[in-house]
Amino acid sequence: MKIRRFQNQSSRRAFTLLEVMIAIVAFCTASFAILALVSTSLGNARALQRPMVDAGAIAGWLASTNALVEGEESAELSEMLGDAYKGYVCTYDIQEVQTNKLFQLDFIVQDNNSYNKPVVSKMSILLFRPNSPAGSLDGSTTAR
């Protein structure tokens, strides 16, 4: 005659130490993967809050003018684009490259907040402006 009570207790199965360790490793791996995704998301969100500084805004502003005068000038981006661009300076150089009023504009945007003023963006464009005054190639002797 068998005693059923002992048979039920001995047939119970518990988790082994190896199974518990594998479960802990799987849980930790999933946790670290989720934390890495959250960290990456926060870094991307922080990068989106900073304005994208590009010389294209100054190029668009100068492209809307009807006449260009040779010379080099500098402008604060915050004056044209708002306070988000405070501390950025754009220097642009206008040179006549052909006698038919074709001008080359070279832009350099620098971060004025940093110690060595690193270059943030560079750009060169060509603009045809027939209403511009005589430049150095057209015989002008006056400098701006």
Side-chain angles (χ1 to χ4, degrees):
M1 174 185 224
K2 294 184 181 178
I3 300 176
R4 218 144 160 74
R5 191 175 79 195
F6 292 120
Q7 187 180 11
N8 285 341
Q9 286 180 353
S10 65
S11 67
R12 275 193 204 168
R13 185 152 188 253
F15 291 110
T16 64
L17 182 60
L18 183 61
E19 291 172 333
V20 170
M21 288 175 58
I22 290 172
I24 289 173
V25 167
F27 175 76
C28 289
T29 303
S31 297
F32 285 125
I34 291 171
L35 288 174
L37 285 173
V38 168
S39 175
T40 303
S41 302
L42 289 174
N44 290 340
R46 206 173 302 117
L48 286 174
Q49 289 177 345
R50 284 178 272 163
M52 185 84 151
V53 179
D54 187 19
I58 302 295
W61 175 66
L62 282 173
S64 66
T65 63
N66 289 331
L68 295 173
V69 178
E70 286 185 304
E72 185 174 318
E73 288 200 31
S74 179
E76 282 278 337
L77 289 182
S78 61
E79 294 174 5
M80 290 180 275
L81 304 175
D83 288 337
Y85 296 89
K86 194 171 187 97
Y88 291 99
V89 176
C90 180
T91 306
Y92 55 95
D93 184 28
I94 303 172
Q95 296 177 359
E96 189 176 17
V97 292
Q98 293 291 323
T99 57
N100 63 353
K101 306 291 183 175
L102 184 66
F103 292 90
Q104 178 177 349
L105 287 75
D106 298 316
F107 304 94
I108 297 175
V109 176
Q110 294 176 307
D111 186 0
N112 220 14
N113 296 327
S114 298
Y115 173 69
N116 58 354
K117 296 184 180 181
V119 173
V120 178
S121 178
K122 280 184 171 182
M123 176 185 279
S124 288
I125 62 171
L126 294 172
L127 292 177
F128 173 68
R129 295 292 180 256
N131 295 335
S132 298
S136 60
L137 296 177
D138 288 332
S140 173
T141 58
T142 59
R144 195 164 89 134

